[in-house]
Amino acid sequence: MGDMTATSARRVLLAAPRGYCAGVDRAVIAVEKALEQYGAPIYVRKEIVHNKYVVQTLEKKGAIFVDETEEVPEGSIVIFSAHGVAPVVHEEAAQRQLATIDATCPLVTKVHKEAVRFAKEDYDILLIGHEGHEEVIGTSGEAPDHVTLVDGPGDVKNVEVRDESKVVWLSQTTLSVDETMETVDALQDRFPQLISPPSDDICYATQNRQIAIKQVAAESDLVIVVGSKNSSNSVRLVEVAIGAGAKDGHLVDYASEIDEAWLEGVTTVGVTSGASVPDVLVEGVLEWLAERGYGDVEVVQPMQETMTFSLPKELRRDLRAEAAAAAGTAATGTDGAER
Ligand code: SF4
């Protein structure tokens, strides 16, 4: 009897918004459209987005992922990933006569522009982010002589600046909002004249997913975040969930990675996914949970998302040209039929 009560109380709280953000959606569609438009192979520098499943699916369709531009045969087409690239990468691509499609998320480009502007005004730029992350490498590359990386609150004591009256902080787009504010507070203590970026660098998608999982986590015994280990925003979601009261939290790429032992004594399971994760992977996790008695799913949605971005301009230009040519052919065809 006790068991039956426990079973009937089992439930899943599903966070929304979760999964694909506008920047990831755009980058993945850019690779798919490029494959349709120009044919395989299409080269992609770095993982287009940090998700195993997405990368493997695009590989099957003819995309070839490389780490560096020099691995791309001269004259081929290369797509730059959503995380952005340093200007030197554009130069390397031009030298190898590569046709480039830049799928950098517009919200990353915004941070690049801020870096360029503050560097021009000769500010020291304190870039809060994770050492070695592709986005941070790209943003730093816009102004290498002006940017110092600050990797979390513990790193603040190591920061040196040239002029304390000309210091600004910027950040990676996919950080934990709360931890970043801790870092900013510590920086402000050291540099009282520190100025803030003109608008949020942590993007809307990262912020919304964190707000939603906090609400879910407060009521969850276990939180499962679907996402890859190299996905910054996905890793942050596990940390945020634990910080917000979830008793346990794990990151998995697929349902098959869930360990049955995690469910011991668990009544409520919170589920969400990172910004680079297609919902089919979440559906797999929900099915896996349903098979184990967690079939009752309640959506927790603190806000709606409506953001969309248009495709990279190089691709839009070629798709337009093709549409115009097709319209021309169709018109000629009709003419021919009438004669
Ligand atoms: S997580 Fe944010 S910055 Fe990154 S691609 Fe998505 S919208 Fe752009």
Side-chain angles (χ1 to χ4, degrees):
M1 186 71 195
D3 261 16
M4 272 185 64
T5 317
T7 308
S8 63
R10 283 180 188 170
R11 60 174 183 161
V12 171
L13 295 180
L14 180 61
R18 68 176 176 281
Y20 268 25
C21 61
V24 164
D25 194 40
R26 167 185 190 262
V28 174
I29 294 175
V31 180
E32 289 169 348
K33 290 270 181 210
L35 282 163
E36 280 170 27
Q37 174 81 5
Y38 313 111
I42 296 286
Y43 290 82
V44 183
R45 186 184 176 277
K46 308 282 183 192
E47 294 191 345
I48 185 73
V49 301
H50 285 154
N51 185 266
K52 260 192 207 172
Y53 174 88
V54 170
V55 167
Q56 285 165 2
T57 307
L58 291 173
E59 266 171 347
K60 281 185 204 137
K61 292 183 183 172
I64 297 178
F65 291 87
V66 296
D67 258 334
E68 293 306 334
T69 321
E70 61 187 28
E71 296 168 51
V72 182
E74 289 204 8
S76 316
I77 299 173
V78 63
I79 302 184
F80 294 144
S81 79
H83 308 98
V85 294
V88 65
V89 176
H90 282 283
E91 287 158 24
E92 286 165 11
Q95 276 164 13
R96 295 183 69 75
Q97 283 160 1
L98 305 179
T100 58
I101 296 172
D102 189 355
T104 304
C105 176
L107 299 180
V108 173
T109 303
K110 190 200 79 168
V111 184
H112 280 224
K113 287 187 176 149
E114 286 168 354
V116 169
R117 178 162 74 84
F118 284 110
K120 254 194 199 137
E121 295 174 22
D122 205 26
Y123 274 80
D124 274 340
I125 300 164
L126 307 181
L127 178 64
I128 304 175
H130 295 298
E131 181 145 26
H133 190 278
E134 277 147 43
E135 184 187 321
V136 160
I137 295 168
T139 309
S140 306
E142 291 285 358
D145 299 337
H146 288 80
V147 173
T148 303
L149 183 68
V150 185
D151 195 344
D155 201 15
V156 170
K157 58 180 183 308
N158 307 320
V159 176
E160 305 283 346
V161 300
R162 292 168 305 156
D163 174 359
E164 293 199 2
S165 69
K166 279 195 103 171
V167 193
V168 61
W169 70 272
L170 300 178
S171 89
Q172 192 179 330
T173 55
T174 51
L175 302 179
S176 144
V177 175
D178 297 337
E179 190 188 287
T180 303
M181 283 309 128
E182 262 179 59
T183 310
V184 171
D185 288 346
L187 284 171
Q188 247 150 8
D189 285 345
R190 276 204 61 195
F191 310 113
Q193 297 182 67
L194 177 74
I195 64 167
S196 299
S199 62
D200 285 345
D201 285 345
I202 299 181
C203 75
Y204 80 97
T206 300
Q207 297 194 28
N208 289 349
R209 279 150 194 68
Q210 287 175 18
I211 292 167
I213 198 58
K214 273 186 184 176
Q215 214 165 305
V216 163
E219 293 185 53
S220 298
D221 305 305
L222 164 70
V223 165
I224 295 174
V225 178
V226 186
S228 291
K229 309 264 178 301
N230 61 343
S231 159
S232 173
N233 82 89
S234 305
V235 175
R236 302 290 85 74
L237 285 171
V238 178
E239 294 168 1
V240 168
I242 302 270
K247 294 190 192 87
D248 192 11
H250 295 276
L251 184 66
V252 297
D253 262 299
Y254 303 103
S256 58
E257 292 176 8
I258 305 173
D259 185 341
E260 301 249 3
W262 299 343
L263 296 175
E264 237 177 76
V266 165
T267 307
T268 303
V269 183
V271 175
T272 190
S273 54
S276 44
V277 180
D279 224 39
V280 62
L281 300 179
V282 176
E283 284 157 22
V285 167
L286 295 179
E287 275 166 30
W288 189 96
L289 287 168
E291 285 161 12
R292 285 152 186 88
Y294 299 84
D296 171 15
V297 179
E298 191 185 316
V299 176
V300 176
Q301 178 155 28
M303 79 281 288
Q304 302 280 339
E305 271 179 5
T306 52
M307 186 82 85
T308 55
F309 296 132
S310 53
L311 285 173
K313 61 179 185 315
E314 307 86 349
L315 200 51
R316 262 185 292 150
R317 180 197 59 209
D318 288 355
L319 291 171
R320 257 201 317 268
E322 193 198 40
T329 317
T332 316
T334 313
D335 273 6
E338 277 173 5
R339 269 184 208 135

